[in-house]
mmCIF file of all heavy atoms in Angstrom:
data_model
loop_
_atom_site.group_PDB
_atom_site.id
_atom_site.type_symbol
_atom_site.label_atom_id
_atom_site.label_comp_id
_atom_site.label_asym_id
_atom_site.label_seq_id
_atom_site.Cartn_x
_atom_site.Cartn_y
_atom_site.Cartn_z
ATOM 1 N N TYR Z 25 102.155 -145.442 -68.994
ATOM 2 C CA TYR Z 25 101.028 -146.283 -68.588
ATOM 3 C C TYR Z 25 100.225 -146.730 -69.813
ATOM 4 O O TYR Z 25 99.824 -147.892 -69.906
ATOM 5 C CB TYR Z 25 100.129 -145.528 -67.601
ATOM 6 C CG TYR Z 25 98.920 -146.318 -67.192
ATOM 7 C CD1 TYR Z 25 99.041 -147.394 -66.308
ATOM 8 C CD2 TYR Z 25 97.660 -146.012 -67.690
ATOM 9 C CE1 TYR Z 25 97.929 -148.144 -65.940
ATOM 10 C CE2 TYR Z 25 96.550 -146.748 -67.331
ATOM 11 C CZ TYR Z 25 96.686 -147.812 -66.459
ATOM 12 O OH TYR Z 25 95.591 -148.547 -66.101
ATOM 13 N N ARG Z 26 100.012 -145.824 -70.754
ATOM 14 C CA ARG Z 26 99.281 -146.171 -71.974
ATOM 15 C C ARG Z 26 100.029 -147.244 -72.763
ATOM 16 O O ARG Z 26 99.419 -148.143 -73.332
ATOM 17 C CB ARG Z 26 99.057 -144.932 -72.837
ATOM 18 C CG ARG Z 26 98.092 -143.944 -72.247
ATOM 19 C CD ARG Z 26 98.045 -142.661 -73.082
ATOM 20 N NE ARG Z 26 97.301 -141.627 -72.427
ATOM 21 C CZ ARG Z 26 95.977 -141.470 -72.502
ATOM 22 N NH1 ARG Z 26 95.263 -142.301 -73.221
ATOM 23 N NH2 ARG Z 26 95.382 -140.484 -71.861
ATOM 24 N N LEU Z 27 101.350 -147.130 -72.796
ATOM 25 C CA LEU Z 27 102.166 -148.135 -73.466
ATOM 26 C C LEU Z 27 101.980 -149.495 -72.806
ATOM 27 O O LEU Z 27 101.798 -150.504 -73.484
ATOM 28 C CB LEU Z 27 103.641 -147.723 -73.455
ATOM 29 C CG LEU Z 27 104.630 -148.716 -74.060
ATOM 30 C CD1 LEU Z 27 104.328 -148.997 -75.522
ATOM 31 C CD2 LEU Z 27 106.056 -148.192 -73.900
ATOM 32 N N LEU Z 28 101.993 -149.533 -71.504
ATOM 33 C CA LEU Z 28 101.787 -150.788 -70.764
ATOM 34 C C LEU Z 28 100.407 -151.369 -71.076
ATOM 35 O O LEU Z 28 100.266 -152.577 -71.295
ATOM 36 C CB LEU Z 28 101.956 -150.556 -69.269
ATOM 37 C CG LEU Z 28 101.790 -151.766 -68.374
ATOM 38 C CD1 LEU Z 28 102.829 -152.834 -68.696
ATOM 39 C CD2 LEU Z 28 101.900 -151.355 -66.908
ATOM 40 N N GLU Z 29 99.400 -150.510 -71.130
ATOM 41 C CA GLU Z 29 98.049 -150.981 -71.477
ATOM 42 C C GLU Z 29 98.026 -151.591 -72.888
ATOM 43 O O GLU Z 29 97.414 -152.641 -73.096
ATOM 44 C CB GLU Z 29 97.047 -149.825 -71.424
ATOM 45 C CG GLU Z 29 96.661 -149.386 -70.046
ATOM 46 C CD GLU Z 29 95.597 -148.308 -70.086
ATOM 47 O OE1 GLU Z 29 95.732 -147.341 -70.862
ATOM 48 O OE2 GLU Z 29 94.617 -148.448 -69.333
ATOM 49 N N LEU Z 30 98.693 -150.919 -73.829
ATOM 50 C CA LEU Z 30 98.744 -151.445 -75.195
ATOM 51 C C LEU Z 30 99.480 -152.777 -75.250
ATOM 52 O O LEU Z 30 99.057 -153.700 -75.953
ATOM 53 C CB LEU Z 30 99.419 -150.439 -76.132
ATOM 54 C CG LEU Z 30 98.609 -149.217 -76.516
ATOM 55 C CD1 LEU Z 30 99.474 -148.226 -77.293
ATOM 56 C CD2 LEU Z 30 97.386 -149.612 -77.339
ATOM 57 N N GLU Z 31 100.579 -152.876 -74.512
ATOM 58 C CA GLU Z 31 101.334 -154.134 -74.485
ATOM 59 C C GLU Z 31 100.475 -155.262 -73.931
ATOM 60 O O GLU Z 31 100.449 -156.366 -74.495
ATOM 61 C CB GLU Z 31 102.607 -153.970 -73.652
ATOM 62 C CG GLU Z 31 103.661 -153.127 -74.335
ATOM 63 C CD GLU Z 31 104.843 -152.797 -73.434
ATOM 64 O OE1 GLU Z 31 104.773 -153.005 -72.203
ATOM 65 O OE2 GLU Z 31 105.851 -152.307 -73.970
ATOM 66 N N ASN Z 32 99.767 -155.000 -72.844
ATOM 67 C CA ASN Z 32 98.906 -156.021 -72.243
ATOM 68 C C ASN Z 32 97.767 -156.423 -73.180
ATOM 69 O O ASN Z 32 97.454 -157.610 -73.319
ATOM 70 C CB ASN Z 32 98.348 -155.541 -70.907
ATOM 71 C CG ASN Z 32 99.393 -155.465 -69.832
ATOM 72 O OD1 ASN Z 32 100.435 -156.114 -69.900
ATOM 73 N ND2 ASN Z 32 99.151 -154.649 -68.816
ATOM 74 N N ALA Z 33 97.157 -155.440 -73.821
ATOM 75 C CA ALA Z 33 96.048 -155.731 -74.734
ATOM 76 C C ALA Z 33 96.541 -156.499 -75.969
ATOM 77 O O ALA Z 33 95.863 -157.414 -76.444
ATOM 78 C CB ALA Z 33 95.359 -154.431 -75.157
ATOM 79 N N THR Z 34 97.710 -156.135 -76.462
ATOM 80 C CA THR Z 34 98.279 -156.840 -77.619
ATOM 81 C C THR Z 34 98.602 -158.283 -77.257
ATOM 82 O O THR Z 34 98.315 -159.207 -78.022
ATOM 83 C CB THR Z 34 99.541 -156.105 -78.119
ATOM 84 O OG1 THR Z 34 99.167 -154.772 -78.481
ATOM 85 C CG2 THR Z 34 100.144 -156.791 -79.324
ATOM 86 N N THR Z 35 99.165 -158.483 -76.092
ATOM 87 C CA THR Z 35 99.461 -159.843 -75.622
ATOM 88 C C THR Z 35 98.169 -160.654 -75.502
ATOM 89 O O THR Z 35 98.123 -161.819 -75.914
ATOM 90 C CB THR Z 35 100.209 -159.800 -74.282
ATOM 91 O OG1 THR Z 35 101.451 -159.118 -74.473
ATOM 92 C CG2 THR Z 35 100.468 -161.190 -73.735
ATOM 93 N N ALA Z 36 97.135 -160.032 -74.961
ATOM 94 C CA ALA Z 36 95.843 -160.725 -74.825
ATOM 95 C C ALA Z 36 95.289 -161.123 -76.196
ATOM 96 O O ALA Z 36 94.764 -162.229 -76.362
ATOM 97 C CB ALA Z 36 94.847 -159.829 -74.089
ATOM 98 N N CYS Z 37 95.446 -160.243 -77.183
ATOM 99 C CA CYS Z 37 94.964 -160.554 -78.539
ATOM 100 C C CYS Z 37 95.757 -161.690 -79.175
ATOM 101 O O CYS Z 37 95.205 -162.496 -79.922
ATOM 102 C CB CYS Z 37 95.029 -159.310 -79.422
ATOM 103 S SG CYS Z 37 93.791 -158.061 -79.021
ATOM 104 N N ARG Z 38 97.036 -161.735 -78.889
ATOM 105 C CA ARG Z 38 97.863 -162.810 -79.448
ATOM 106 C C ARG Z 38 97.555 -164.151 -78.764
ATOM 107 O O ARG Z 38 97.495 -165.178 -79.420
ATOM 108 C CB ARG Z 38 99.343 -162.480 -79.286
ATOM 109 C CG ARG Z 38 99.807 -161.402 -80.229
ATOM 110 C CD ARG Z 38 101.305 -161.476 -80.439
ATOM 111 N NE ARG Z 38 101.780 -160.392 -81.251
ATOM 112 C CZ ARG Z 38 101.646 -160.312 -82.571
ATOM 113 N NH1 ARG Z 38 101.020 -161.263 -83.222
ATOM 114 N NH2 ARG Z 38 102.132 -159.289 -83.234
ATOM 115 N N ARG Z 39 97.375 -164.121 -77.456
ATOM 116 C CA ARG Z 39 97.125 -165.366 -76.713
ATOM 117 C C ARG Z 39 95.742 -165.924 -77.007
ATOM 118 O O ARG Z 39 95.557 -167.130 -77.122
ATOM 119 C CB ARG Z 39 97.260 -165.110 -75.216
ATOM 120 C CG ARG Z 39 98.681 -164.962 -74.781
ATOM 121 C CD ARG Z 39 98.782 -164.920 -73.283
ATOM 122 N NE ARG Z 39 100.180 -164.770 -72.899
ATOM 123 C CZ ARG Z 39 100.576 -164.273 -71.754
ATOM 124 N NH1 ARG Z 39 99.697 -163.893 -70.860
ATOM 125 N NH2 ARG Z 39 101.854 -164.171 -71.488
ATOM 126 N N ARG Z 40 94.775 -165.032 -77.054
ATOM 127 C CA ARG Z 40 93.393 -165.458 -77.256
ATOM 128 C C ARG Z 40 92.687 -164.402 -78.111
ATOM 129 O O ARG Z 40 92.124 -163.442 -77.571
ATOM 130 C CB ARG Z 40 92.705 -165.605 -75.908
ATOM 131 C CG ARG Z 40 91.408 -166.331 -76.000
ATOM 132 C CD ARG Z 40 90.967 -166.831 -74.648
ATOM 133 N NE ARG Z 40 89.708 -167.507 -74.831
ATOM 134 C CZ ARG Z 40 88.702 -167.407 -74.009
ATOM 135 N NH1 ARG Z 40 88.808 -166.688 -72.920
ATOM 136 N NH2 ARG Z 40 87.587 -168.053 -74.245
ATOM 137 N N PRO Z 41 92.749 -164.551 -79.417
ATOM 138 C CA PRO Z 41 92.221 -163.524 -80.321
ATOM 139 C C PRO Z 41 90.692 -163.518 -80.410
ATOM 140 O O PRO Z 41 90.097 -163.868 -81.426
ATOM 141 C CB PRO Z 41 92.865 -163.879 -81.667
ATOM 142 C CG PRO Z 41 93.142 -165.335 -81.586
ATOM 143 C CD PRO Z 41 93.414 -165.636 -80.141
ATOM 144 N N THR Z 42 90.081 -163.088 -79.320
ATOM 145 C CA THR Z 42 88.619 -163.023 -79.289
ATOM 146 C C THR Z 42 88.152 -161.627 -79.700
ATOM 147 O O THR Z 42 88.918 -160.667 -79.701
ATOM 148 C CB THR Z 42 88.094 -163.303 -77.871
ATOM 149 O OG1 THR Z 42 88.579 -162.284 -76.986
ATOM 150 C CG2 THR Z 42 88.521 -164.679 -77.375
ATOM 151 N N ARG Z 43 86.894 -161.546 -80.010
ATOM 152 C CA ARG Z 43 86.296 -160.249 -80.344
ATOM 153 C C ARG Z 43 86.473 -159.270 -79.179
ATOM 154 O O ARG Z 43 86.827 -158.109 -79.383
ATOM 155 C CB ARG Z 43 84.822 -160.443 -80.680
ATOM 156 C CG ARG Z 43 84.115 -159.158 -81.025
ATOM 157 C CD ARG Z 43 82.624 -159.396 -81.322
ATOM 158 N NE ARG Z 43 82.036 -158.190 -81.819
ATOM 159 C CZ ARG Z 43 81.972 -157.841 -83.094
ATOM 160 N NH1 ARG Z 43 82.452 -158.643 -84.017
ATOM 161 N NH2 ARG Z 43 81.428 -156.695 -83.468
ATOM 162 N N ALA Z 44 86.233 -159.739 -77.973
ATOM 163 C CA ALA Z 44 86.346 -158.868 -76.794
ATOM 164 C C ALA Z 44 87.772 -158.336 -76.628
ATOM 165 O O ALA Z 44 87.960 -157.162 -76.291
ATOM 166 C CB ALA Z 44 85.912 -159.616 -75.544
ATOM 167 N N ALA Z 45 88.760 -159.179 -76.870
ATOM 168 C CA ALA Z 45 90.154 -158.741 -76.744
ATOM 169 C C ALA Z 45 90.461 -157.642 -77.756
ATOM 170 O O ALA Z 45 91.103 -156.634 -77.422
ATOM 171 C CB ALA Z 45 91.102 -159.924 -76.926
ATOM 172 N N PHE Z 46 89.998 -157.816 -78.987
ATOM 173 C CA PHE Z 46 90.249 -156.802 -80.012
ATOM 174 C C PHE Z 46 89.417 -155.545 -79.778
ATOM 175 O O PHE Z 46 89.855 -154.438 -80.095
ATOM 176 C CB PHE Z 46 90.041 -157.376 -81.414
ATOM 177 C CG PHE Z 46 91.249 -158.097 -81.925
ATOM 178 C CD1 PHE Z 46 91.338 -159.473 -81.831
ATOM 179 C CD2 PHE Z 46 92.326 -157.405 -82.464
ATOM 180 C CE1 PHE Z 46 92.457 -160.153 -82.281
ATOM 181 C CE2 PHE Z 46 93.455 -158.068 -82.915
ATOM 182 C CZ PHE Z 46 93.527 -159.451 -82.825
ATOM 183 N N GLU Z 47 88.238 -155.683 -79.192
ATOM 184 C CA GLU Z 47 87.450 -154.489 -78.844
ATOM 185 C C GLU Z 47 88.161 -153.683 -77.765
ATOM 186 O O GLU Z 47 88.177 -152.447 -77.822
ATOM 187 C CB GLU Z 47 86.050 -154.892 -78.384
ATOM 188 C CG GLU Z 47 85.157 -155.309 -79.528
ATOM 189 C CD GLU Z 47 83.804 -155.823 -79.100
ATOM 190 O OE1 GLU Z 47 83.607 -156.152 -77.899
ATOM 191 O OE2 GLU Z 47 82.920 -155.916 -79.974
ATOM 192 N N ASP Z 48 88.751 -154.360 -76.791
ATOM 193 C CA ASP Z 48 89.513 -153.665 -75.748
ATOM 194 C C ASP Z 48 90.701 -152.919 -76.351
ATOM 195 O O ASP Z 48 90.954 -151.755 -76.012
ATOM 196 C CB ASP Z 48 90.008 -154.648 -74.678
ATOM 197 C CG ASP Z 48 88.890 -155.193 -73.812
ATOM 198 O OD1 ASP Z 48 87.768 -154.631 -73.833
ATOM 199 O OD2 ASP Z 48 89.127 -156.207 -73.123
ATOM 200 N N LEU Z 49 91.420 -153.582 -77.232
ATOM 201 C CA LEU Z 49 92.566 -152.947 -77.891
ATOM 202 C C LEU Z 49 92.100 -151.756 -78.723
ATOM 203 O O LEU Z 49 92.705 -150.679 -78.677
ATOM 204 C CB LEU Z 49 93.304 -153.963 -78.765
ATOM 205 C CG LEU Z 49 94.504 -153.436 -79.549
ATOM 206 C CD1 LEU Z 49 95.558 -152.819 -78.630
ATOM 207 C CD2 LEU Z 49 95.116 -154.567 -80.388
ATOM 208 N N SER Z 50 91.023 -151.916 -79.446
ATOM 209 C CA SER Z 50 90.484 -150.844 -80.268
ATOM 210 C C SER Z 50 90.110 -149.630 -79.424
ATOM 211 O O SER Z 50 90.355 -148.485 -79.809
ATOM 212 C CB SER Z 50 89.267 -151.343 -81.047
ATOM 213 O OG SER Z 50 88.732 -150.329 -81.855
ATOM 214 N N SER Z 51 89.541 -149.869 -78.265
ATOM 215 C CA SER Z 51 89.158 -148.779 -77.362
ATOM 216 C C SER Z 51 90.391 -147.997 -76.894
ATOM 217 O O SER Z 51 90.379 -146.757 -76.862
ATOM 218 C CB SER Z 51 88.402 -149.346 -76.164
ATOM 219 O OG SER Z 51 88.098 -148.329 -75.242
ATOM 220 N N LEU Z 52 91.448 -148.705 -76.540
ATOM 221 C CA LEU Z 52 92.688 -148.039 -76.130
ATOM 222 C C LEU Z 52 93.259 -147.202 -77.272
ATOM 223 O O LEU Z 52 93.720 -146.073 -77.069
ATOM 224 C CB LEU Z 52 93.728 -149.068 -75.676
ATOM 225 C CG LEU Z 52 93.416 -149.845 -74.410
ATOM 226 C CD1 LEU Z 52 94.439 -150.966 -74.212
ATOM 227 C CD2 LEU Z 52 93.404 -148.906 -73.204
ATOM 228 N N LEU Z 53 93.238 -147.769 -78.472
ATOM 229 C CA LEU Z 53 93.752 -147.056 -79.645
ATOM 230 C C LEU Z 53 92.918 -145.813 -79.937
ATOM 231 O O LEU Z 53 93.458 -144.756 -80.291
ATOM 232 C CB LEU Z 53 93.764 -147.986 -80.857
ATOM 233 C CG LEU Z 53 94.764 -149.133 -80.788
ATOM 234 C CD1 LEU Z 53 94.448 -150.180 -81.848
ATOM 235 C CD2 LEU Z 53 96.192 -148.619 -80.930
ATOM 236 N N HIS Z 54 91.615 -145.927 -79.793
ATOM 237 C CA HIS Z 54 90.722 -144.797 -80.030
ATOM 238 C C HIS Z 54 91.055 -143.631 -79.092
ATOM 239 O O HIS Z 54 91.173 -142.481 -79.529
ATOM 240 C CB HIS Z 54 89.268 -145.232 -79.859
ATOM 241 C CG HIS Z 54 88.293 -144.128 -80.072
ATOM 242 N ND1 HIS Z 54 87.919 -143.699 -81.326
ATOM 243 C CD2 HIS Z 54 87.632 -143.340 -79.188
ATOM 244 C CE1 HIS Z 54 87.059 -142.701 -81.203
ATOM 245 N NE2 HIS Z 54 86.874 -142.469 -79.915
ATOM 246 N N LYS Z 55 91.204 -143.941 -77.829
ATOM 247 C CA LYS Z 55 91.528 -142.899 -76.840
ATOM 248 C C LYS Z 55 92.875 -142.255 -77.160
ATOM 249 O O LYS Z 55 93.015 -141.029 -77.098
ATOM 250 C CB LYS Z 55 91.550 -143.494 -75.433
ATOM 251 C CG LYS Z 55 90.187 -143.918 -74.930
ATOM 252 C CD LYS Z 55 90.307 -144.629 -73.608
ATOM 253 C CE LYS Z 55 88.999 -145.267 -73.204
ATOM 254 N NZ LYS Z 55 89.142 -146.093 -72.003
ATOM 255 N N LEU Z 56 93.850 -143.070 -77.491
ATOM 256 C CA LEU Z 56 95.182 -142.560 -77.787
ATOM 257 C C LEU Z 56 95.178 -141.712 -79.055
ATOM 258 O O LEU Z 56 95.815 -140.654 -79.100
ATOM 259 C CB LEU Z 56 96.174 -143.711 -77.920
ATOM 260 C CG LEU Z 56 97.628 -143.332 -78.167
ATOM 261 C CD1 LEU Z 56 98.171 -142.438 -77.053
ATOM 262 C CD2 LEU Z 56 98.482 -144.582 -78.300
ATOM 263 N N SER Z 57 94.465 -142.137 -80.069
ATOM 264 C CA SER Z 57 94.448 -141.376 -81.325
ATOM 265 C C SER Z 57 93.836 -139.996 -81.122
ATOM 266 O O SER Z 57 94.278 -139.023 -81.731
ATOM 267 C CB SER Z 57 93.698 -142.136 -82.422
ATOM 268 O OG SER Z 57 92.315 -142.173 -82.184
ATOM 269 N N GLY Z 58 92.853 -139.924 -80.258
ATOM 270 C CA GLY Z 58 92.202 -138.637 -80.015
ATOM 271 C C GLY Z 58 93.057 -137.658 -79.250
ATOM 272 O O GLY Z 58 93.044 -136.459 -79.519
ATOM 273 N N ILE Z 59 93.822 -138.149 -78.323
ATOM 274 C CA ILE Z 59 94.580 -137.259 -77.449
ATOM 275 C C ILE Z 59 95.997 -136.963 -77.947
ATOM 276 O O ILE Z 59 96.509 -135.863 -77.750
ATOM 277 C CB ILE Z 59 94.606 -137.808 -76.006
ATOM 278 C CG1 ILE Z 59 95.028 -136.737 -75.031
ATOM 279 C CG2 ILE Z 59 95.469 -139.035 -75.886
ATOM 280 C CD1 ILE Z 59 94.819 -137.099 -73.579
ATOM 281 N N ALA Z 60 96.626 -137.898 -78.615
ATOM 282 C CA ALA Z 60 98.030 -137.731 -79.004
ATOM 283 C C ALA Z 60 98.237 -136.541 -79.939
ATOM 284 O O ALA Z 60 99.145 -135.727 -79.720
ATOM 285 C CB ALA Z 60 98.559 -139.013 -79.648
ATOM 286 N N ALA Z 61 97.427 -136.451 -80.957
ATOM 287 C CA ALA Z 61 97.585 -135.346 -81.909
ATOM 288 C C ALA Z 61 97.330 -134.000 -81.244
ATOM 289 O O ALA Z 61 97.982 -133.005 -81.570
ATOM 290 C CB ALA Z 61 96.654 -135.544 -83.096
ATOM 291 N N SER Z 62 96.425 -133.973 -80.283
ATOM 292 C CA SER Z 62 96.106 -132.728 -79.583
ATOM 293 C C SER Z 62 97.296 -132.175 -78.808
ATOM 294 O O SER Z 62 97.373 -130.973 -78.567
ATOM 295 C CB SER Z 62 94.944 -132.939 -78.612
ATOM 296 O OG SER Z 62 93.796 -133.349 -79.308
ATOM 297 N N PHE Z 63 98.200 -133.053 -78.419
ATOM 298 C CA PHE Z 63 99.345 -132.623 -77.615
ATOM 299 C C PHE Z 63 100.661 -132.668 -78.386
ATOM 300 O O PHE Z 63 101.734 -132.747 -77.800
ATOM 301 C CB PHE Z 63 99.426 -133.448 -76.334
ATOM 302 C CG PHE Z 63 98.287 -133.160 -75.407
ATOM 303 C CD1 PHE Z 63 97.348 -134.119 -75.127
ATOM 304 C CD2 PHE Z 63 98.130 -131.895 -74.849
ATOM 305 C CE1 PHE Z 63 96.273 -133.840 -74.294
ATOM 306 C CE2 PHE Z 63 97.062 -131.610 -74.019
ATOM 307 C CZ PHE Z 63 96.127 -132.584 -73.740
ATOM 308 N N GLY Z 64 100.568 -132.612 -79.710
ATOM 309 C CA GLY Z 64 101.773 -132.467 -80.522
ATOM 310 C C GLY Z 64 102.437 -133.756 -80.965
ATOM 311 O O GLY Z 64 103.616 -133.748 -81.316
ATOM 312 N N PHE Z 65 101.696 -134.843 -80.973
ATOM 313 C CA PHE Z 65 102.236 -136.127 -81.416
ATOM 314 C C PHE Z 65 101.350 -136.706 -82.521
ATOM 315 O O PHE Z 65 100.722 -137.752 -82.348
ATOM 316 C CB PHE Z 65 102.359 -137.095 -80.237
ATOM 317 C CG PHE Z 65 103.271 -136.593 -79.159
ATOM 318 C CD1 PHE Z 65 102.763 -135.885 -78.077
ATOM 319 C CD2 PHE Z 65 104.638 -136.775 -79.253
ATOM 320 C CE1 PHE Z 65 103.607 -135.392 -77.094
ATOM 321 C CE2 PHE Z 65 105.489 -136.275 -78.282
ATOM 322 C CZ PHE Z 65 104.973 -135.589 -77.197
ATOM 323 N N PRO Z 66 101.302 -136.013 -83.667
ATOM 324 C CA PRO Z 66 100.390 -136.453 -84.733
ATOM 325 C C PRO Z 66 100.720 -137.835 -85.278
ATOM 326 O O PRO Z 66 99.806 -138.572 -85.656
ATOM 327 C CB PRO Z 66 100.550 -135.369 -85.799
ATOM 328 C CG PRO Z 66 101.877 -134.745 -85.535
ATOM 329 C CD PRO Z 66 102.082 -134.838 -84.045
ATOM 330 N N ASN Z 67 101.990 -138.203 -85.319
ATOM 331 C CA ASN Z 67 102.352 -139.521 -85.844
ATOM 332 C C ASN Z 67 101.770 -140.633 -84.972
ATOM 333 O O ASN Z 67 101.222 -141.608 -85.482
ATOM 334 C CB ASN Z 67 103.874 -139.650 -85.946
ATOM 335 C CG ASN Z 67 104.291 -140.930 -86.639
ATOM 336 O OD1 ASN Z 67 103.736 -141.309 -87.660
ATOM 337 N ND2 ASN Z 67 105.276 -141.608 -86.080
ATOM 338 N N ILE Z 68 101.880 -140.466 -83.672
ATOM 339 C CA ILE Z 68 101.308 -141.456 -82.745
ATOM 340 C C ILE Z 68 99.792 -141.501 -82.922
ATOM 341 O O ILE Z 68 99.198 -142.583 -82.980
ATOM 342 C CB ILE Z 68 101.709 -141.139 -81.293
ATOM 343 C CG1 ILE Z 68 103.201 -141.442 -81.109
ATOM 344 C CG2 ILE Z 68 100.862 -141.927 -80.300
ATOM 345 C CD1 ILE Z 68 103.749 -141.056 -79.752
ATOM 346 N N GLY Z 69 99.171 -140.344 -83.027
ATOM 347 C CA GLY Z 69 97.729 -140.292 -83.222
ATOM 348 C C GLY Z 69 97.290 -140.969 -84.508
ATOM 349 O O GLY Z 69 96.314 -141.722 -84.528
ATOM 350 N N GLN Z 70 98.028 -140.723 -85.587
ATOM 351 C CA GLN Z 70 97.683 -141.324 -86.874
ATOM 352 C C GLN Z 70 97.876 -142.840 -86.860
ATOM 353 O O GLN Z 70 97.053 -143.581 -87.397
ATOM 354 C CB GLN Z 70 98.521 -140.705 -87.991
ATOM 355 C CG GLN Z 70 98.135 -139.275 -88.301
ATOM 356 C CD GLN Z 70 99.129 -138.577 -89.216
ATOM 357 O OE1 GLN Z 70 100.213 -139.068 -89.470
ATOM 358 N NE2 GLN Z 70 98.749 -137.401 -89.695
ATOM 359 N N GLN Z 71 98.961 -143.304 -86.240
ATOM 360 C CA GLN Z 71 99.191 -144.748 -86.169
ATOM 361 C C GLN Z 71 98.101 -145.434 -85.348
ATOM 362 O O GLN Z 71 97.616 -146.501 -85.718
ATOM 363 C CB GLN Z 71 100.553 -145.037 -85.547
ATOM 364 C CG GLN Z 71 101.708 -144.782 -86.467
ATOM 365 C CD GLN Z 71 103.005 -145.115 -85.772
ATOM 366 O OE1 GLN Z 71 103.434 -144.426 -84.855
ATOM 367 N NE2 GLN Z 71 103.625 -146.198 -86.195
ATOM 368 N N ALA Z 72 97.740 -144.823 -84.231
ATOM 369 C CA ALA Z 72 96.689 -145.395 -83.390
ATOM 370 C C ALA Z 72 95.364 -145.428 -84.152
ATOM 371 O O ALA Z 72 94.637 -146.427 -84.114
ATOM 372 C CB ALA Z 72 96.546 -144.594 -82.094
ATOM 373 N N GLN Z 73 95.067 -144.358 -84.865
ATOM 374 C CA GLN Z 73 93.825 -144.289 -85.629
ATOM 375 C C GLN Z 73 93.797 -145.337 -86.738
ATOM 376 O O GLN Z 73 92.780 -145.987 -86.967
ATOM 377 C CB GLN Z 73 93.639 -142.899 -86.218
ATOM 378 C CG GLN Z 73 92.331 -142.732 -86.950
ATOM 379 C CD GLN Z 73 92.168 -141.331 -87.509
ATOM 380 O OE1 GLN Z 73 93.130 -140.690 -87.916
ATOM 381 N NE2 GLN Z 73 90.940 -140.858 -87.520
ATOM 382 N N SER Z 74 94.912 -145.512 -87.408
ATOM 383 C CA SER Z 74 94.988 -146.495 -88.490
ATOM 384 C C SER Z 74 94.751 -147.916 -87.975
ATOM 385 O O SER Z 74 93.983 -148.688 -88.569
ATOM 386 C CB SER Z 74 96.361 -146.401 -89.168
ATOM 387 O OG SER Z 74 96.491 -147.379 -90.162
ATOM 388 N N ALA Z 75 95.387 -148.268 -86.872
ATOM 389 C CA ALA Z 75 95.200 -149.603 -86.295
ATOM 390 C C ALA Z 75 93.772 -149.775 -85.786
ATOM 391 O O ALA Z 75 93.157 -150.824 -85.982
ATOM 392 C CB ALA Z 75 96.208 -149.836 -85.173
ATOM 393 N N GLU Z 76 93.243 -148.741 -85.153
ATOM 394 C CA GLU Z 76 91.873 -148.808 -84.649
ATOM 395 C C GLU Z 76 90.894 -149.004 -85.803
ATOM 396 O O GLU Z 76 89.960 -149.816 -85.713
ATOM 397 C CB GLU Z 76 91.508 -147.531 -83.891
ATOM 398 C CG GLU Z 76 90.083 -147.565 -83.369
ATOM 399 C CD GLU Z 76 89.410 -146.219 -83.281
ATOM 400 O OE1 GLU Z 76 90.034 -145.185 -83.562
ATOM 401 O OE2 GLU Z 76 88.215 -146.226 -82.941
ATOM 402 N N LEU Z 77 91.103 -148.298 -86.890
ATOM 403 C CA LEU Z 77 90.219 -148.406 -88.051
ATOM 404 C C LEU Z 77 90.256 -149.815 -88.639
ATOM 405 O O LEU Z 77 89.210 -150.378 -88.965
ATOM 406 C CB LEU Z 77 90.617 -147.371 -89.106
ATOM 407 C CG LEU Z 77 89.739 -147.290 -90.337
ATOM 408 C CD1 LEU Z 77 88.299 -146.931 -89.972
ATOM 409 C CD2 LEU Z 77 90.300 -146.262 -91.305
ATOM 410 N N LEU Z 78 91.433 -150.384 -88.743
ATOM 411 C CA LEU Z 78 91.572 -151.742 -89.262
ATOM 412 C C LEU Z 78 90.798 -152.736 -88.390
ATOM 413 O O LEU Z 78 90.050 -153.578 -88.889
ATOM 414 C CB LEU Z 78 93.046 -152.129 -89.334
ATOM 415 C CG LEU Z 78 93.370 -153.527 -89.843
ATOM 416 C CD1 LEU Z 78 92.867 -153.733 -91.263
ATOM 417 C CD2 LEU Z 78 94.875 -153.758 -89.798
ATOM 418 N N ILE Z 79 90.943 -152.608 -87.082
ATOM 419 C CA ILE Z 79 90.238 -153.498 -86.152
ATOM 420 C C ILE Z 79 88.733 -153.274 -86.234
ATOM 421 O O ILE Z 79 87.948 -154.226 -86.322
ATOM 422 C CB ILE Z 79 90.752 -153.306 -84.707
ATOM 423 C CG1 ILE Z 79 92.197 -153.765 -84.600
ATOM 424 C CG2 ILE Z 79 89.861 -154.063 -83.715
ATOM 425 C CD1 ILE Z 79 92.888 -153.361 -83.303
ATOM 426 N N SER Z 80 88.332 -152.017 -86.224
ATOM 427 C CA SER Z 80 86.909 -151.687 -86.253
ATOM 428 C C SER Z 80 86.238 -152.199 -87.523
ATOM 429 O O SER Z 80 85.133 -152.757 -87.472
ATOM 430 C CB SER Z 80 86.732 -150.171 -86.136
ATOM 431 O OG SER Z 80 85.378 -149.827 -86.142
#
Side-chain angles (χ1 to χ4, degrees):
Y25 177 74
R26 291 173 189 274
L27 177 60
L28 181 61
E29 285 184 313
L30 286 172
E31 288 172 347
N32 290 338
T34 301
T35 298
C37 288
R38 287 202 185 283
R39 285 189 180 157
R40 193 162 180 221
T42 63
R43 179 181 188 90
F46 276 98
E47 285 175 344
D48 290 346
L49 178 58
S50 180
S51 176
L52 293 172
L53 292 165
H54 179 79
K55 291 174 190 173
L56 183 58
S57 71
I59 196 168
S62 299
F63 292 114
F65 300 94
N67 187 45
I68 289 175
Q70 289 169 349
Q71 285 181 290
Q73 184 179 34
S74 177
E76 179 211 357
L77 184 60
L78 179 61
I79 294 168
S80 181

